[in-house]
């Protein structure tokens, strides 16, 4: 099993301090809920695409002054979440 999702998100955001852990944990839960609302029922935190989607969501929503960068990550998240929602495996079916 890989690193926890919080550790992976912190690494993606290049954060080493623990001061943002509560905020990031809430963002991770928001990302998982957003995926579910978009039709992704299988939220396995160890699945590479789920981990990537959560990291993209967090990068697009964590406080950052660069609006274009945030929009880029939000767009990437939406594209990935949309693709996952169309995949039978993430709709609760069999693996692709």
């Amino acid at each position: 099993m890989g690193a926890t999702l919080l550790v992976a998100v912190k690494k993606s955001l290049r954060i080493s301090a623990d001061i943002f852990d509560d905020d990031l944990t809430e963002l991770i839960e928001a990302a998982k809920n957003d995926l579910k609302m978009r039709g992704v029922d299988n939220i396995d935190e160890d699945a590479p695409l789920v981990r990537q989607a959560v990291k993209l969501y967090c990068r697009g929503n964590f406080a950052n002054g660069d609006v274009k960068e945030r929009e880029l990550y939000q767009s990437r998240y939406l594209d990935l979440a949309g693709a996952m929602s169309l995949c039978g495996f993430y709709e609760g079916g069999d693996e692709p």
Side-chain angles (χ1 to χ4, degrees):
M1 184 182 314
T4 68
L5 201 45
L6 176 60
V7 171
V9 166
K10 286 174 71 171
K11 197 173 197 180
S12 175
L13 293 168
R14 291 154 183 81
I15 295 173
S16 57
D18 297 335
I19 192 168
F20 298 112
D21 283 7
D22 289 341
D23 293 333
L24 292 173
T25 299
E26 288 178 9
L27 264 181
I28 290 167
E29 290 305 312
K32 294 191 300 187
N33 287 334
D34 190 77
L35 284 169
K36 287 179 185 177
M37 288 189 307
R38 293 179 188 282
V40 178
D41 297 324
N42 188 358
I43 308 290
D44 176 2
E45 291 188 10
D46 290 324
L49 287 180
V50 171
R51 293 174 73 84
Q52 185 64 23
V54 170
K55 289 189 286 185
L56 288 170
Y57 183 94
C58 291
R59 287 192 77 170
N61 289 287
F62 192 71
N64 180 342
D66 189 342
V67 174
K68 291 220 182 268
E69 183 177 324
R70 289 180 65 192
E71 289 173 350
L72 174 68
Y73 286 109
Q74 288 170 353
S75 175
R76 288 179 179 174
Y77 166 76
L78 292 173
D79 289 345
L80 180 55
M84 290 171 70
S85 72
L86 296 174
C87 178
F89 174 69
Y90 291 103
E91 291 180 321
D94 296 327
E95 289 190 43

